[in-house]
Amino acid sequence: MRRALDLALQARGRTSPNPMVGCVIVKEGRIIGEGFHPYAGAAHAEVHALQAAGESAAGAELFVTLEPCNHTGRTPPCTEAIIRAKIRRVVAAIEDPNPLVSGQGAERLRQAGIRVDVGVLAKEAWQTNEAFIKVMTRGLPWVVYKSALTLDGKIATENGDSQWVSSDASRQAVQQMRNICDVIMVGSETVLHDDPALTCRLPGGKDPVRVVIDGSLRIQTDNRVLTYSAQAPCIIATTQASPPIRRALLNTLPNVEVWLYDTERYVPLKKLMQDLVARGWHNVLLEGGGRLAGQMLAEDLIDQVDFFVAPKLIGGQGPSPLSGFEVRRMSEARPLYHWQIDTSTGDLHIHAYLHIPHWVNRSEVN
């Protein structure tokens, strides 16, 4: 099962709206076939593993990180392929949270006389597919807020200079985060001030879908997020406060979509998150400034934070990473859970959750 989990992660950032799944087939103590789901629309992990095993799969055991599907989507049901291959036992790490599958895949296999066991390395499997599970259970994407800040809590100097707060190694780590997310999201203030392209600059990397929150359409047609060549579209989320002529102009630009919301000032963030899921995008990397991040936090739309704290002090009245969020009492502060600290980049990289992960025992929470 550990090998199956490792296989699943080889497709990290490439499978939405599907989960990451790995599969290993074992016979007489030896691996005879393995595979993973590489991208949405491709054959599932079980099919790749069965093809690798060939006729030797008869009488073997199949280990898979997620309960095999029993419905027809873009591909046929994996349960039928397993039955045809005459697998004698299936071990699944977790039950599929998709209501189209949940429990039905295992039941179909048992009806065919195949022994099914569920729950091996379940904690690791749940963690692997956090985004898919949240989408299936809550209809919202998994949102990671990334920010670089100084030790005294500033993301820029008082006059707005932010290049660069974090180290070269930290910025490289952020590129890897972009490579595995579906969507990168910022506010219009970030676009106007920093003019980012919001692409992945790793060799062979995948550009995420770029989303700009711009209620009044202040974005300029020469901003790099609109002009820089990218693999993925740029979506501008706006409101009725934006000029219709500006909306029409932006909609004519290549690879640009304007999403208009029926609000007068602020883009409804939860509705936007639901619309991203409807397009099949499950992972959102929030790189916007403190105002947008604060609004997302206030609406409980952030799942995870990755802060790169640089060993620098700049003082002054520079902006903070959560200027759009405020509490009056320390007792109202938002706690972080299951946090981890890494210093390998030369900065203090803090990785933490806004809620206790469902795959963590509460006794283990720091």
Side-chain angles (χ1 to χ4, degrees), residues 38-320:
Y39 55 88
H44 289 186
E46 299 94 319
V47 173
H48 285 292
L50 289 168
Q51 289 174 345
E55 294 182 0
S56 298
E61 296 177 296
L62 183 146
F63 293 79
V64 64
T65 58
L66 192 69
E67 175 188 5
C69 65
N70 189 42
H71 69 286
T72 300
R74 297 194 199 182
T75 58
C78 289
T79 51
E80 301 309 309
I82 292 170
I83 293 167
R84 286 195 304 271
K86 300 180 180 178
I87 292 288
R88 71 173 181 86
R89 180 189 180 211
V90 170
V91 181
I94 57 174
E95 189 175 276
D96 194 327
N98 185 343
L100 291 174
V101 180
S102 187
Q104 298 177 39
E107 180 59 26
R108 173 71 183 101
L109 294 172
R110 291 187 179 111
Q111 289 174 356
I114 297 173
R115 175 181 168 184
V116 180
D117 297 301
V118 180
V120 176
L121 296 185
K123 174 180 173 180
E124 291 84 347
W126 280 103
Q127 186 175 10
T128 296
N129 278 308
E130 288 172 318
F132 177 74
I133 291 166
K134 185 183 179 187
V135 168
M136 288 296 114
T137 57
R138 296 182 55 196
L140 294 170
W142 185 265
V143 179
V144 177
Y145 176 37
K146 184 281 302 181
S147 185
L149 60 154
T150 61
L151 189 59
D152 55 338
K154 307 296 195 306
I155 60 174
T157 62
E158 198 165 343
N159 64 2
D161 181 29
S162 61
Q163 296 186 356
W164 295 101
V165 174
S166 57
S167 69
D168 290 343
S170 291
R171 295 198 299 277
Q172 191 72 4
V174 171
Q175 293 303 313
Q176 183 56 39
M177 295 173 70
R178 290 184 178 186
N179 181 47
I180 62 175
C181 72
D182 298 327
V183 171
I184 183 171
M185 189 168 80
V186 299
S188 58
E189 196 68 35
T190 296
V191 171
L192 294 172
H193 187 272
D194 298 335
D195 196 22
L198 300 179
T199 54
C200 176
R201 293 186 288 276
L202 295 179
K206 173 183 70 72
D207 289 336
V209 174
R210 286 87 43 84
V211 173
V212 179
I213 311 298
D214 190 354
S216 57
L217 282 189
R218 298 189 300 154
I219 194 171
Q220 302 300 304
T221 54
D222 61 351
N223 281 133
R224 294 205 309 155
V225 73
L226 300 181
T227 61
Y228 197 90
S229 178
Q231 305 165 26
C234 178
I235 293 167
I236 307 171
T238 192
T239 69
Q240 297 290 347
S242 61
I245 191 169
R246 290 280 296 159
R247 297 198 298 265
L249 172 63
L250 291 169
N251 263 324
T252 66
L253 298 179
N255 223 20
V256 174
E257 301 177 28
V258 177
W259 288 8
L260 176 63
Y261 289 91
D262 191 20
T263 51
E264 291 300 324
R265 184 177 179 186
Y266 296 113
V267 172
L269 296 174
K270 185 174 181 179
K271 179 64 169 64
L272 172 62
M273 295 298 103
Q274 293 168 335
D275 289 343
L276 294 176
V277 166
R279 286 285 292 266
W281 301 320
H282 291 185
N283 297 274
V284 176
L285 178 62
L286 174 62
E287 285 200 23
R291 187 179 303 172
L292 173 59
Q295 291 170 347
M296 290 283 288
L297 181 62
E299 295 186 36
D300 199 23
L301 294 172
I302 298 176
D303 300 283
Q304 174 187 323
V305 294
D306 279 84
F307 280 10
F308 293 86
V309 183
K312 300 174 182 177
L313 301 170
I314 59 174
Q317 302 297 314
S320 84

Side-chain angles (χ1 to χ4, degrees), residues 288-363:
R291 187 179 303 172
L292 173 59
Q295 291 170 347
M296 290 283 288
L297 181 62
E299 295 186 36
D300 199 23
L301 294 172
I302 298 176
D303 300 283
Q304 174 187 323
V305 294
D306 279 84
F307 280 10
F308 293 86
V309 183
K312 300 174 182 177
L313 301 170
I314 59 174
Q317 302 297 314
S320 84
L322 286 169
S323 56
F325 178 76
E326 182 181 1
V327 297
R328 297 293 183 178
R329 295 182 174 85
M330 190 58 68
S331 60
E332 298 171 348
R334 293 294 303 270
L336 298 176
Y337 301 98
H338 200 64
W339 43 265
Q340 298 172 314
I341 296 176
D342 175 29
T343 58
S344 62
T345 65
D347 296 321
L348 197 67
H349 177 193
I350 301 173
H351 169 95
Y353 291 82
L354 269 298
H355 301 280
I356 299 176
H358 53 269
W359 43 265
V360 170
N361 293 329
R362 290 184 174 267
S363 61

